[in-house]
Amino acid sequence: WIRWLDDMLSPLGFGTRPFGDASGRCCNPFSQEQTSPMSIYRACRDIALPEYQGTCVVQLEENREAFEVALLGQLAVVSLRLLTGQFGSAAVGMVIFVAGNQARCTLVNSRLTAYVCMGSIST
């Protein structure tokens, strides 16, 4: 469970180690040297849009493409919710979108499990 929790929180800059990691980061994804607007933008971009890790399995890649279309549809719904003033449901939808996109791009078991759990709870 600790490893799963660390996998889920590490992209956000939080870790399960109580005193931080070797860089001195502890419960703060944006340390003093990283508070410029561009570094915050890059950190948010890296969380929402992780690097895609392709595979050689054709069926898996086809399923990931279909998942990408579903996530784009979810992003459109989140955008429309923002436009209509439904900020709470838009925030929940955005969290689920980020979790789904991380699961799609990285294929890490903990992120796939978290996305399935969030999706089943939100419906």
Side-chain angles (χ1 to χ4, degrees), residues 35-60:
T35 55
S36 73
M38 284 307 291
S39 64
I40 293 171
Y41 165 75
R42 276 190 223 106
C44 292
R45 183 193 62 203
D46 290 344
I47 291 169
L49 304 169
E51 183 178 339
Y52 187 82
Q53 298 171 359
T55 64
C56 298
V57 182
V58 175
Q59 182 65 34
L60 179 61

Short mmCIF file of all heavy atoms in Angstrom, two decimals, residues 35-60:
data_model
loop_
_atom_site.label_atom_id
_atom_site.label_comp_id
_atom_site.label_asym_id
_atom_site.label_seq_id
_atom_site.Cartn_x
_atom_site.Cartn_y
_atom_site.Cartn_z
N THR A 35 9.34 28.70 -7.79
CA THR A 35 8.07 29.40 -7.68
C THR A 35 7.78 30.33 -8.85
O THR A 35 6.83 31.08 -8.80
CB THR A 35 8.02 30.22 -6.38
OG1 THR A 35 9.17 31.07 -6.33
CG2 THR A 35 7.97 29.32 -5.18
N SER A 36 8.57 30.31 -9.90
CA SER A 36 8.27 31.16 -11.05
C SER A 36 7.01 30.61 -11.76
O SER A 36 6.74 29.42 -11.70
CB SER A 36 9.44 31.19 -12.02
OG SER A 36 9.54 29.97 -12.71
N PRO A 37 6.25 31.47 -12.41
CA PRO A 37 5.04 31.01 -13.09
C PRO A 37 5.31 29.94 -14.14
O PRO A 37 4.50 29.02 -14.31
CB PRO A 37 4.49 32.28 -13.74
CG PRO A 37 5.03 33.39 -12.91
CD PRO A 37 6.38 32.92 -12.44
N MET A 38 6.42 30.02 -14.85
CA MET A 38 6.72 29.01 -15.86
C MET A 38 7.01 27.65 -15.24
O MET A 38 6.63 26.63 -15.81
CB MET A 38 7.91 29.45 -16.73
CG MET A 38 7.54 30.52 -17.75
SD MET A 38 6.14 30.07 -18.79
CE MET A 38 6.85 28.76 -19.76
N SER A 39 7.67 27.61 -14.09
CA SER A 39 7.95 26.32 -13.46
C SER A 39 6.66 25.70 -12.91
O SER A 39 6.49 24.49 -12.96
CB SER A 39 8.99 26.47 -12.37
OG SER A 39 8.52 27.29 -11.34
N ILE A 40 5.76 26.53 -12.42
CA ILE A 40 4.47 26.02 -11.95
C ILE A 40 3.67 25.50 -13.15
O ILE A 40 3.06 24.43 -13.08
CB ILE A 40 3.69 27.11 -11.19
CG1 ILE A 40 4.43 27.45 -9.90
CG2 ILE A 40 2.27 26.67 -10.91
CD1 ILE A 40 3.88 28.65 -9.16
N TYR A 41 3.71 26.23 -14.26
CA TYR A 41 3.03 25.79 -15.48
C TYR A 41 3.58 24.45 -15.96
O TYR A 41 2.83 23.54 -16.30
CB TYR A 41 3.18 26.85 -16.58
CG TYR A 41 2.83 26.34 -17.95
CD1 TYR A 41 1.52 26.14 -18.32
CD2 TYR A 41 3.84 26.03 -18.86
CE1 TYR A 41 1.20 25.66 -19.58
CE2 TYR A 41 3.53 25.54 -20.11
CZ TYR A 41 2.21 25.36 -20.46
OH TYR A 41 1.91 24.87 -21.70
N ARG A 42 4.92 24.32 -15.97
CA ARG A 42 5.55 23.06 -16.41
C ARG A 42 5.18 21.91 -15.50
O ARG A 42 4.94 20.80 -15.96
CB ARG A 42 7.07 23.22 -16.49
CG ARG A 42 7.51 23.84 -17.78
CD ARG A 42 9.04 23.77 -17.92
NE ARG A 42 9.48 25.05 -18.42
CZ ARG A 42 10.11 25.98 -17.72
NH1 ARG A 42 10.45 25.76 -16.48
NH2 ARG A 42 10.43 27.12 -18.26
N ALA A 43 5.15 22.17 -14.19
CA ALA A 43 4.79 21.10 -13.25
C ALA A 43 3.35 20.66 -13.46
O ALA A 43 3.07 19.45 -13.49
CB ALA A 43 4.99 21.59 -11.81
N CYS A 44 2.45 21.59 -13.66
CA CYS A 44 1.05 21.24 -13.92
C CYS A 44 0.90 20.52 -15.25
O CYS A 44 0.14 19.56 -15.36
CB CYS A 44 0.18 22.49 -13.89
SG CYS A 44 0.04 23.23 -12.26
N ARG A 45 1.62 20.96 -16.27
CA ARG A 45 1.58 20.32 -17.58
C ARG A 45 2.10 18.88 -17.49
O ARG A 45 1.54 17.97 -18.07
CB ARG A 45 2.40 21.11 -18.59
CG ARG A 45 2.32 20.53 -20.00
CD ARG A 45 3.36 21.11 -20.90
NE ARG A 45 4.67 20.77 -20.35
CZ ARG A 45 5.78 21.44 -20.61
NH1 ARG A 45 5.75 22.50 -21.37
NH2 ARG A 45 6.93 21.05 -20.10
N ASP A 46 3.19 18.68 -16.74
CA ASP A 46 3.76 17.35 -16.62
C ASP A 46 2.82 16.41 -15.86
O ASP A 46 2.80 15.21 -16.13
CB ASP A 46 5.11 17.41 -15.92
CG ASP A 46 6.18 18.06 -16.78
OD1 ASP A 46 5.96 18.18 -18.01
OD2 ASP A 46 7.22 18.46 -16.23
N ILE A 47 2.06 16.95 -14.92
CA ILE A 47 1.10 16.13 -14.20
C ILE A 47 -0.07 15.77 -15.10
O ILE A 47 -0.48 14.61 -15.17
CB ILE A 47 0.61 16.85 -12.93
CG1 ILE A 47 1.74 16.94 -11.90
CG2 ILE A 47 -0.59 16.14 -12.32
CD1 ILE A 47 1.44 17.86 -10.75
N ALA A 48 -0.62 16.74 -15.82
CA ALA A 48 -1.80 16.51 -16.64
C ALA A 48 -1.47 15.77 -17.94
O ALA A 48 -2.29 14.99 -18.43
CB ALA A 48 -2.48 17.83 -16.97
N LEU A 49 -0.31 16.01 -18.49
CA LEU A 49 0.07 15.42 -19.78
C LEU A 49 1.41 14.72 -19.67
O LEU A 49 2.43 15.22 -20.14
CB LEU A 49 0.12 16.51 -20.86
CG LEU A 49 -1.15 17.33 -21.04
CD1 LEU A 49 -0.88 18.53 -21.92
CD2 LEU A 49 -2.26 16.47 -21.58
N PRO A 50 1.45 13.54 -19.06
CA PRO A 50 2.73 12.83 -18.92
C PRO A 50 3.22 12.33 -20.27
O PRO A 50 2.47 12.26 -21.25
CB PRO A 50 2.39 11.66 -17.99
CG PRO A 50 0.94 11.43 -18.19
CD PRO A 50 0.34 12.78 -18.50
N GLU A 51 4.48 11.97 -20.30
CA GLU A 51 5.09 11.46 -21.54
C GLU A 51 4.47 10.11 -21.89
O GLU A 51 4.34 9.22 -21.06
CB GLU A 51 6.59 11.31 -21.34
CG GLU A 51 7.31 10.85 -22.58
CD GLU A 51 8.81 10.75 -22.37
OE1 GLU A 51 9.33 11.39 -21.44
OE2 GLU A 51 9.45 10.03 -23.15
N TYR A 52 4.09 9.95 -23.14
CA TYR A 52 3.47 8.72 -23.63
C TYR A 52 4.52 7.63 -23.76
O TYR A 52 5.56 7.84 -24.37
CB TYR A 52 2.79 8.97 -24.98
CG TYR A 52 1.99 7.80 -25.48
CD1 TYR A 52 0.70 7.58 -25.02
CD2 TYR A 52 2.52 6.92 -26.39
CE1 TYR A 52 -0.04 6.52 -25.48
CE2 TYR A 52 1.79 5.84 -26.86
CZ TYR A 52 0.50 5.65 -26.40
OH TYR A 52 -0.23 4.58 -26.86
N GLN A 53 4.25 6.47 -23.20
CA GLN A 53 5.17 5.34 -23.27
C GLN A 53 4.50 4.25 -24.11
O GLN A 53 3.66 3.51 -23.63
CB GLN A 53 5.50 4.83 -21.87
CG GLN A 53 6.19 5.88 -21.03
CD GLN A 53 6.34 5.48 -19.58
OE1 GLN A 53 5.91 4.41 -19.18
NE2 GLN A 53 6.95 6.34 -18.80
N GLY A 54 4.89 4.18 -25.37
CA GLY A 54 4.29 3.24 -26.30
C GLY A 54 4.73 1.80 -26.05
O GLY A 54 5.71 1.54 -25.36
N THR A 55 3.96 0.88 -26.61
CA THR A 55 4.28 -0.54 -26.52
C THR A 55 4.28 -1.13 -27.92
O THR A 55 3.92 -0.47 -28.89
CB THR A 55 3.23 -1.28 -25.66
OG1 THR A 55 1.96 -1.21 -26.32
CG2 THR A 55 3.13 -0.71 -24.27
N CYS A 56 4.66 -2.40 -28.02
CA CYS A 56 4.68 -3.11 -29.29
C CYS A 56 3.40 -3.91 -29.52
O CYS A 56 3.23 -4.52 -30.58
CB CYS A 56 5.87 -4.05 -29.35
SG CYS A 56 7.45 -3.21 -29.25
N VAL A 57 2.49 -3.92 -28.56
CA VAL A 57 1.27 -4.71 -28.64
C VAL A 57 0.21 -3.90 -29.39
O VAL A 57 -0.24 -2.85 -28.92
CB VAL A 57 0.76 -5.10 -27.23
CG1 VAL A 57 -0.48 -5.95 -27.31
CG2 VAL A 57 1.87 -5.80 -26.46
N VAL A 58 -0.18 -4.39 -30.56
CA VAL A 58 -1.09 -3.65 -31.44
C VAL A 58 -2.46 -3.47 -30.78
O VAL A 58 -3.02 -2.37 -30.79
CB VAL A 58 -1.23 -4.36 -32.81
CG1 VAL A 58 -2.26 -3.69 -33.68
CG2 VAL A 58 0.12 -4.43 -33.49
N GLN A 59 -3.01 -4.52 -30.21
CA GLN A 59 -4.33 -4.45 -29.58
C GLN A 59 -4.33 -3.45 -28.43
O GLN A 59 -5.28 -2.67 -28.28
CB GLN A 59 -4.75 -5.84 -29.07
CG GLN A 59 -6.13 -5.87 -28.45
CD GLN A 59 -7.23 -5.57 -29.45
OE1 GLN A 59 -7.14 -5.93 -30.62
NE2 GLN A 59 -8.28 -4.91 -28.99
N LEU A 60 -3.29 -3.43 -27.65
CA LEU A 60 -3.19 -2.49 -26.53
C LEU A 60 -3.14 -1.05 -27.04
O LEU A 60 -3.81 -0.16 -26.51
CB LEU A 60 -1.95 -2.79 -25.69
CG LEU A 60 -1.70 -1.88 -24.49
CD1 LEU A 60 -2.86 -1.94 -23.51
CD2 LEU A 60 -0.41 -2.26 -23.81
#
